[in-house]
Amino acid sequence: MKAVAVIPGKPNSVHLREVPTPTLEQVANGRGVLVKVLRVGVDGTDKEINAAEYGAAPPGDDYLILGHESFGRVEAVGPKVTELKPGDYVAATVRRPGSSLYDRVGLYDMTTDDTYFERGINLRHGFLAQYYVDEPDYIIRVPDKLKQVGVLMEPTSVAEKGIVQAYEIQRRLRVWQPRRAAVLGTGTLGLIAGLLLRLRGLEVTAFGRTRRPYKNAELLEEIGVRYLNTAELSLTEASKKYGPFDIIFEGTGFSPLVFEAMEVLAKNGVLVLVSVTGGDRKAEVPADKINLGFVLGNKVAVGSVNANREYFELGAKDLCQAELQYPGWLAKLLTHPVRGLESFSELLKTLTEGKDVIKVFCEVAPL
Ligand code: BGC
Ligand code: ZN
């Protein structure tokens, strides 16, 4: 079958190649699920992998099949699979378990191992191919009615995890009633986080660096999220006017902003950090003030990476709710379809050079 791969360690090595088609028998105990890939989204991580800043090939191979944001349809299942059947629309989780305590109970997104396994990213092949095979434990059913937007499942799961982590932590407060949330960054993840927070009934303010007219600002307003441009109003100024924020969801990866967020976070508030920063930036911060504010305000900051199947399942439910509450909104995030695996170079190019890009994705096969 055809697959889009890179040679990890070699910059700009993305290419189309012929690889063996996976088979059901590859999975032990009759538990294989063969999935025909329909759509695969790409994001900054794919860009970094192609730039050889990140990513590793599975042991024994010198190439890595790209793609971690998958959507597909079950083609065949092994004799011991009861959870799924041919024809089901599905998305797959990205990480696979290592050996820590957390990995052993399904919380592989919380691994304490130094090595982690992620399909399409680290040590495991991804989904940007015609087919993949996996165990049903890592495959989540997506309702047929969501098929048009099913490729958003993976980024949604990442936002879900960050928000659920915040609520879990805040059970310490017994009576926590968050009112105001801030979302930093208005790319795909920020837009989805804004949506999920709106579905939970919060007043949401999103911050971006782009001046209006800005498509993402309009999209946010359609779901009742206030958009502010940080060039016009800083986070600190804005939180005096519209805050304080009980939850801040940081999705920009601009690390100095993390410390500004720590400062403006409400008393008893929670700051969720979800953006991976590859760089080595240094910043001067008001350390005493931040520390004092955290202590006197009982504040929390939490990092959140990846997502296990619980968050994919929650994601599927919330995407359904979103379709009911804001019909047609999710589809507007799918701005840049790229037809066919053969167009792999256009895929990554669109990500960097496209105009008004929200989600770039490959249409591997028709829905
Ligand atoms: C993916 C996550 C992954 C993270 C770190 C992100 O782009 O969406 O699933 O855990 O990169 O590799
Ligand atoms: Zn990603």
Side-chain angles (χ1 to χ4, degrees):
M1 66 167 182
K2 291 193 198 76
V4 175
V6 296
I7 308 293
K10 194 172 152 203
N12 281 314
S13 61
V14 64
H15 62 281
L16 188 69
R17 72 192 288 142
E18 196 58 36
V19 298
T21 304
T23 64
L24 283 182
E25 292 68 40
Q26 260 166 251
V27 176
N29 307 321
R31 295 276 292 157
V33 179
L34 175 68
V35 177
K36 182 181 162 76
V37 178
L38 303 176
R39 289 178 168 187
V40 176
V42 289
D43 71 358
T45 301
D46 300 289
K47 218 160 59 182
E48 284 170 23
I49 296 172
N50 188 41
E53 289 163 11
Y54 200 56
D61 283 335
D62 63 353
Y63 65 93
L64 170 75
I65 300 178
L66 272 183
H68 61 276
E69 302 181 2
S70 72
F71 182 66
R73 192 168 50 228
V74 175
E75 188 95 343
V77 299
K80 288 280 157 58
V81 174
T82 53
E83 300 94 321
L84 295 162
K85 58 179 190 316
D88 286 349
Y89 286 101
V90 292
T93 64
V94 176
R95 204 173 272 192
R96 294 293 169 271
S99 58
S100 81
L101 171 64
Y102 306 98
D103 295 87
R104 281 183 267 132
V105 296
L107 303 181
Y108 39 80
D109 57 317
M110 293 299 221
T111 193
T112 51
D113 292 352
D114 292 329
T115 308
Y116 56 86
F117 304 92
E118 289 182 343
R119 293 200 65 161
I121 301 176
N122 212 38
L123 302 167
R124 293 287 179 267
H125 286 309
F127 306 107
L128 203 42
Q130 288 178 285
Y131 297 92
Y132 71 86
V133 162
D134 217 323
E135 295 170 48
D137 313 65
Y138 308 117
I139 301 178
I140 294 87
R141 250 205 83 178
V142 178
D144 295 8
K145 288 210 164 131
L146 281 184
K147 70 176 178 184
Q148 295 294 344
V149 295
V151 72
L152 294 172
M153 280 287 287
E154 198 275 344
T156 301
S157 75
V158 171
E160 287 284 8
K161 177 182 171 184
I163 293 168
V164 170
Q165 292 287 306
Y167 276 78
E168 281 286 302
I169 290 166
Q170 295 297 70
R171 284 160 67 180
R172 70 192 171 123
L173 294 167
R174 309 292 189 275
V175 293
W176 193 49
Q177 283 177 347
R179 296 220 159 78
R180 296 184 196 91
V183 174
L184 313 184
T186 51
T188 307
L189 203 52
L191 291 167
I192 294 175
L195 169 72
L196 299 179
L197 290 162
R198 287 293 297 141
L199 293 180
R200 284 180 183 254
L202 277 84
E203 181 189 314
V204 184
T205 307
F207 295 82
R209 276 182 314 185
T210 311
R211 283 174 201 281
R212 294 165 196 267
Y214 179 34
K215 171 126 171 262
N216 303 28
E218 285 155 28
L219 283 170
L220 285 162
E221 277 156 10
E222 282 178 30
I223 59 170
V225 174
R226 172 187 300 119
Y227 174 75
L228 297 176
N229 171 10
T230 44
E232 284 159 16
L233 199 66
S234 73
L235 175 59
T236 305
E237 289 159 352
S239 67
K240 285 187 198 123
K241 204 163 164 197
Y242 301 111
F245 301 112
D246 305 302
I247 305 185
I248 303 182
F249 185 97
E250 204 306 302
T252 65
F254 179 60
S255 51
L257 197 56
V258 170
F259 298 93
E260 193 178 344
M262 286 178 154
E263 264 196 279
V264 305
L265 185 64
K267 288 199 178 69
N268 290 357
V270 55
L271 166 63
V272 187
L273 310 176
V274 300
S275 192
V276 178
T277 35
D280 186 26
R281 193 188 299 272
K282 310 278 190 294
E284 193 172 306
V285 299
D288 280 344
K289 264 182 83 187
I290 291 173
N291 179 60
L292 185 68
F294 256 67
V295 174
L296 296 185
N298 288 294
K299 303 186 193 182
V300 180
V302 59
S304 174
V305 69
N306 194 255
N308 66 48
R309 79 170 289 136
E310 175 190 342
Y311 306 113
F312 278 76
E313 284 169 356
L314 193 58
K317 287 186 187 149
D318 278 341
L319 292 182
C320 288
Q321 196 189 334
E323 283 289 84
L324 291 173
Q325 206 155 323
Y326 308 110
W329 188 83
L330 288 167
K332 294 184 201 168
L333 307 189
L334 303 176
T335 50
H336 290 68
V338 172
R339 177 75 51 89
L341 292 169
E342 304 75 22
S343 311
F344 63 90
S345 54
E346 201 186 318
L347 201 59
L348 292 184
K349 210 173 137 202
T350 308
L351 201 55
T352 28
E353 294 167 23
K355 201 174 137 28
D356 291 333
V357 167
I358 300 175
K359 185 85 264 168
V360 182
F361 62 101
C362 184
E363 295 177 315
V364 180
L367 291 177

